[in-house]
Amino acid sequence: MKVAFIGMGTMGAPMALNILKAGHDVTVHNRTREREVPVAEAGAKRAASPKEAAAGSEIIITCVSDTPDVEAIILGEAGVYEGAEKGSIVIDMSTISPTATRRMAEKLGEKGVQMLDAPVSGGSEGAQKGTLSIMVGGDEDALKRAEPVLQAMGSITYLGPVGAGQMTKAINQIVVAGTYWSVAEGIALGLKAGLDMEKVVQAVGGGAATSWAMLNRSGNMINNQYPLGFKVQLHRKDLNIALNVARELGVTLPVAAYVEQVETGLITRGHGDEDISVIARSVREASGIDD
Amino acid sequence: MKVAFIGMGTMGAPMALNILKAGHDVTVHNRTREREVPVAEAGAKRAASPKEAAAGSEIIITCVSDTPDVEAIILGEAGVYEGAEKGSIVIDMSTISPTATRRMAEKLGEKGVQMLDAPVSGGSEGAQKGTLSIMVGGDEDALKRAEPVLQAMGSITYLGPVGAGQMTKAINQIVVAGTYWSVAEGIALGLKAGLDMEKVVQAVGGGAATSWAMLNRSGNMINNQYPLGFKVQLHRKDLNIALNVARELGVTLPVAAYVEQVETGLITRGHGDEDISVIARSVREASGIDD
């Protein structure tokens, strides 16, 4: 298929490469143009603007940082909206506001362009290996047409109408917040009590307390070292999206809101580029573990 | 071996039966004496008091509800302390205070009696099947001698000196609190957004947000039905033990403390006998999901 891919970041570039490898005809664009070069060298065409990338493409993928970036790419000057042709499908794979997603889908719909929201989890490793978990909202027939392209990047779960993918990603980040935090609390108590924490994780990691976070990130928390992973500043951005949509719907998320505040403090103090497990630093410090 | 087992509750009775089945010579006692009958019918002797049960036993197991119960059984009138012989081993398999455990171990030590703390996880099902996870603190040689008896009830993890088993169980319950709660927050948002929650759990249950709670208890939270499971009033008791020992050590556990307050409210309103996943009811109600 003819695919435009806009956003050549840590996620976008390897995702576009996987689409190329699957045999599709790919045109890339990135605001900082030189980022297009590695993917162009692998066989992609380059476009000077989102509009130019969108023109003539059947599938137009966006994968950037935040809601305003996607809005600028799609609705801004020389944006996707200007270039996209009737019958084409815009797939936003960024993690952004479900509400803004629905607004953009409506606007594109006026032009006969369908929109799928398809945020991912699985990190840069999943992007490189083509093993992302892709959470899709939007029209089911549009998804069927887009499947050959999405499958090149990972496995697809269809969740419902436009916005359902973003809403599911928001849920994912809410649950990540509290689950990581609860592991951090448990580890702080064990460290202060002088326990052998490897044995503790072994003892509790097989039962009702276990989680991906406990099995994969407790080591970071015990060693007080937080290599990437998933940057806490990106998780904070995602949590804010989740808290905003929860506010719109009238849902109270006290623990997610608390963890967002902790993350804000850590980012302020220069830890924004560390893995999200760095929230354990806050429990350690409050409990005087490293004094 | 000659084993005394004190406490014929939902956990103790099937645990004592498994020790009997493993070929040991078991004497049982329970404050409400008729509870001894089923295990006596399976071949156990009955004793009129903890003291009488302890006399002549190599291993003396206690498995009751809370710290004061264990203190009464061990140090009270006609208690284990009066009957236990030099060289015998007391194993407390209740979930109680690590600090009180260390005090009792010291007192028993004056008489030449060793004490292991060995709280369990795995619930009544694990007690019946002999598949409990047993978290042991205390002298390692004493554990070696007690192993043939403990192995009849489940798998053993040795965690360090007296109290380390109880401390590990406290950590388990802290992590359970926040992990279950975070799943409840995520589900509340999804329900309010009108998502198909089975699909959502499928989408997020394979990645960084996943946990035992998500895979095994999200169904309860979605259906707003909380069959046992593990009673929320017992979890609240355990969380209080954890919060008290954390306070003693100067460790701050804001989310565990928050969940304890939620559980207190639910118990007040008659939900104490439901599974701990009932904490989702609090998020649902605060967010008007069932209005």
Side-chain angles (χ1 to χ4, degrees):
Chain A
M1 298 180 87
K2 297 184 78 169
V3 181
F5 203 116
I6 300 160
M8 294 287 104
T10 318
M11 298 296 288
M15 287 158 76
L17 281 171
N18 281 328
I19 298 172
L20 263 176
K21 274 183 216 153
H24 299 286
D25 179 2
V26 180
T27 301
V28 298
H29 172 74
N30 195 75
R31 192 170 47 189
T32 309
R33 297 288 314 275
E34 59 267 31
R35 288 240 185 125
E36 298 162 6
V37 176
V39 187
E41 282 172 354
K45 297 185 198 73
R46 297 174 67 180
S49 68
K51 175 184 176 178
E52 188 185 312
S57 291
E58 299 162 87
I59 305 282
I60 303 145
I61 298 175
T62 53
C63 187
V64 292
S65 287
D66 207 348
T67 309
D69 307 306
V70 178
E71 286 174 332
I73 287 167
I74 292 184
L75 303 177
E77 208 186 305
V80 167
Y81 183 84
E82 296 179 13
E85 289 161 23
K86 190 180 163 145
S88 65
I89 302 167
V90 171
I91 308 177
D92 178 36
M93 303 188 75
S94 322
T95 295
I96 68 163
S97 157
T99 313
T101 297
R102 280 191 289 266
R103 275 199 306 266
M104 285 186 276
E106 203 172 325
K107 183 81 182 155
L108 288 163
E110 294 169 7
K111 236 193 131 171
V113 176
Q114 286 180 298
M115 181 169 176
L116 300 173
D117 51 311
V120 300
S121 71
S124 55
E125 198 184 316
Q128 281 155 27
K129 293 186 177 168
T131 57
L132 293 167
S133 168
I134 308 172
M135 298 161 244
V136 183
D139 181 79
E140 218 167 346
D141 287 328
L143 170 57
K144 249 177 220 135
R145 284 194 287 144
E147 251 174 23
V149 175
L150 289 173
Q151 278 164 348
M153 296 177 276
S155 62
I156 301 161
T157 310
Y158 177 71
L159 290 140
V162 174
Q166 294 295 353
M167 197 67 82
T168 302
K169 181 71 188 284
I171 292 168
N172 188 81
Q173 302 300 54
I174 290 163
V175 178
V176 160
T179 305
Y180 276 62
W181 181 265
S182 69
V183 175
E185 286 194 353
I187 283 171
L189 180 59
L191 289 171
K192 202 84 187 261
L195 296 185
D196 177 336
M197 290 310 294
E198 261 182 56
K199 284 187 190 169
V200 171
V201 170
Q202 187 195 327
V204 305
T210 202
S211 59
W212 188 94
M214 171 166 293
L215 298 177
N216 295 282
R217 293 294 180 262
S218 57
N220 287 2
M221 298 180 184
I222 293 165
N223 301 326
N224 207 22
Q225 300 275 345
Y226 311 95
L228 286 183
F230 185 71
K231 283 187 190 180
V232 68
Q233 64 188 357
L234 290 177
H235 186 258
R236 201 249 318 227
K237 188 258 311 177
D238 293 358
L239 260 191
N240 273 324
I241 291 167
L243 290 166
N244 278 324
V245 75
R247 208 169 277 121
E248 288 164 25
L249 291 171
V251 176
T252 68
L253 304 174
V255 169
Y258 178 79
V259 173
E260 192 274 339
Q261 292 293 298
V262 167
E263 293 183 352
T264 294
L266 288 162
I267 293 163
T268 299
R269 284 147 63 219
H271 298 294
D273 286 336
E274 293 179 61
D275 180 69
I276 191 231
S277 50
V278 73
I279 58 177
R281 201 182 273 281
S282 166
V283 192
R284 293 178 75 107
E285 286 174 358
S287 306
I289 285 170
D290 303 304
D291 293 352
Chain B
M1 299 181 85
K2 295 184 79 169
V3 181
F5 203 114
I6 299 159
M8 295 287 105
T10 318
M11 298 296 288
M15 288 158 75
L17 281 172
N18 281 327
I19 299 171
L20 263 177
K21 274 183 215 154
H24 300 285
D25 180 1
V26 180
T27 301
V28 298
H29 172 74
N30 195 76
R31 191 171 46 188
T32 309
R33 296 290 313 276
E34 58 268 31
R35 286 241 184 125
E36 298 162 5
V37 175
V39 186
E41 282 172 353
K45 295 186 200 75
R46 296 175 68 181
S49 67
K51 175 183 177 180
E52 188 185 312
S57 291
E58 299 164 86
I59 305 283
I60 303 145
I61 298 175
T62 53
C63 188
V64 292
S65 287
D66 207 349
T67 309
D69 307 306
V70 179
E71 287 174 331
I73 287 168
I74 292 185
L75 302 177
E77 208 187 306
V80 167
Y81 183 84
E82 295 178 14
E85 288 162 21
K86 190 178 162 146
S88 65
I89 303 168
V90 171
I91 309 178
D92 177 37
M93 303 188 76
S94 323
T95 295
I96 67 163
S97 157
T99 313
T101 297
R102 279 191 290 266
R103 276 200 306 266
M104 284 187 276
E106 204 172 325
K107 183 80 183 154
L108 287 163
E110 292 169 7
K111 236 193 131 172
V113 175
Q114 286 181 297
M115 181 170 177
L116 300 173
D117 51 312
V120 301
S121 71
S124 55
E125 196 184 317
Q128 281 155 27
K129 293 187 177 167
T131 57
L132 293 167
S133 168
I134 309 172
M135 298 162 246
V136 183
D139 181 79
E140 217 165 348
D141 287 329
L143 171 58
K144 251 179 217 131
R145 283 193 288 143
E147 251 173 21
V149 175
L150 288 173
Q151 277 163 348
M153 294 177 279
S155 62
I156 301 162
T157 309
Y158 176 71
L159 290 141
V162 174
Q166 294 295 354
M167 196 67 82
T168 302
K169 181 72 188 283
I171 291 168
N172 188 81
Q173 302 300 54
I174 289 163
V175 178
V176 160
T179 305
Y180 275 62
W181 182 264
S182 69
V183 175
E185 286 196 353
I187 283 172
L189 180 58
L191 288 171
K192 202 82 188 263
L195 296 186
D196 178 337
M197 291 308 295
E198 260 183 56
K199 285 186 189 168
V200 171
V201 170
Q202 187 195 325
V204 305
T210 201
S211 60
W212 188 94
M214 171 165 294
L215 298 177
N216 295 281
R217 293 293 180 262
S218 57
N220 288 2
M221 298 180 183
I222 293 165
N223 301 325
N224 206 23
Q225 301 275 345
Y226 310 96
L228 287 181
F230 185 71
K231 284 187 190 180
V232 67
Q233 63 187 357
L234 290 176
H235 186 257
R236 200 246 322 226
K237 188 254 320 175
D238 293 359
L239 261 190
N240 274 324
I241 291 168
L243 289 166
N244 279 323
V245 75
R247 208 169 276 121
E248 287 165 25
L249 291 170
V251 176
T252 68
L253 304 175
V255 170
Y258 177 79
V259 174
E260 192 274 339
Q261 291 295 297
V262 167
E263 293 183 352
T264 294
L266 288 163
I267 293 162
T268 299
R269 285 149 62 219
H271 298 294
D273 286 335
E274 294 178 60
D275 180 69
I276 192 230
S277 51
V278 73
I279 57 176
R281 203 183 272 281
S282 166
V283 192
R284 292 177 75 107
E285 287 174 358
S287 305
I289 286 171
D290 302 304
D291 294 352

